[in-house]
């Protein structure tokens, strides 16, 4: 699969160039919400009233957020920690929650490229069509700008979820 490394390399350019930082405003809020979910747990997360957002009014996060991104990031972070402690420590290095949130869009961008190719192959019966559609999804600017490393926003897992639903 040439598509997976190509899709991933395009998406982690910002991380390689500027470091493992989350950029833009919504991704920062999503990261704070992920930190809160990771530290406080499920119940407190859904009843959390954030006084740092929408100042001075605040925001009832539990009723105004799509929590899939935060749940996915915390689940991946905990799975990596579990694999690190139970298996080969060199193969599964410990990653901070920030690292997981920075890399998550790039990981899912590569996944959506592959699944788009599989969907095209299933629909057409042509391996060539699957490869072409997979490469188009890997290089498509509209998709890569929503799955660039550090852009921790809902589209980064929403697009692969939609493609997996149709597959």
């Amino acid at each position: 699969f040439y598509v997976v490394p190509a899709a991933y390399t395009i998406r982690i350019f910002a991380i390689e160039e500027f470091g493992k930082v989350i950029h833009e405003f919504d991704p920062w809020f999503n990261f704070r919400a992920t930190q809160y979910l990771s530290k406080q747990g499920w119940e407190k997360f859904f009843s959390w009233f954030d006084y740092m957002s929408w100042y001075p009014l605040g925001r009832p996060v539990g009723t105004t957020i799509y929590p899939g991104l935060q749940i996915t990031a915390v689940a991946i972070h905990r799975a990596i920690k579990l694999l690190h402690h139970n298996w080969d420590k060199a193969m599964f290095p410990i990653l901070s929650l920030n690292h997981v949130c920075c890399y998550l869009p790039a990981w899912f961008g590569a996944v959506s490229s592959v699944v788009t190719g599989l969907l095209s192959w299933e629909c057409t019966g042509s391996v060539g069509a699957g490869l072409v559609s997979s490469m188009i999804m890997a290089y498509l600017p509209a998709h890569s700008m929503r799955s660039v490393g550090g852009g921790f926003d809902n589209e980064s897992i929403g697009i692969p979820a939609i493609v997996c639903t149709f597959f």
Side-chain angles (χ1 to χ4, degrees), residues 8-25:
Y8 183 71
T9 303
I10 290 168
R11 284 160 177 80
I12 64 164
F13 177 77
I15 292 175
E16 290 178 347
E17 190 72 20
F18 304 110
K20 297 168 188 77
V21 294
I22 293 173
H23 50 83
E24 301 175 28
F25 298 111

Side-chain angles (χ1 to χ4, degrees), residues 32-110:
R32 275 191 341 103
T34 305
Q35 284 180 315
Y36 191 89
L37 174 63
S38 181
K39 290 178 184 172
Q40 302 297 326
W42 186 273
E43 285 187 29
K44 286 189 177 181
F45 177 74
F46 284 108
S47 61
W48 176 35
F49 193 88
D50 182 17
Y51 292 100
M52 293 176 65
S53 298
W54 297 354
Y55 186 79
L57 301 174
R59 175 182 178 182
V61 177
T63 58
T64 61
I65 195 171
Y66 298 114
L69 180 67
Q70 289 78 20
I71 293 168
T72 303
V74 169
I76 290 173
H77 181 246
R78 289 182 180 170
I80 290 172
K81 281 173 62 175
L82 185 69
L83 289 172
H84 176 78
H85 292 300
N86 293 333
W87 286 4
D88 185 14
K89 294 184 183 338
M91 186 177 209
F92 296 101
I94 199 96
L95 294 176
S96 69
L97 189 59
N98 179 60
H99 290 128
V100 171
C101 293
C102 284
Y103 282 109
L104 187 128
W107 295 335
F108 278 85

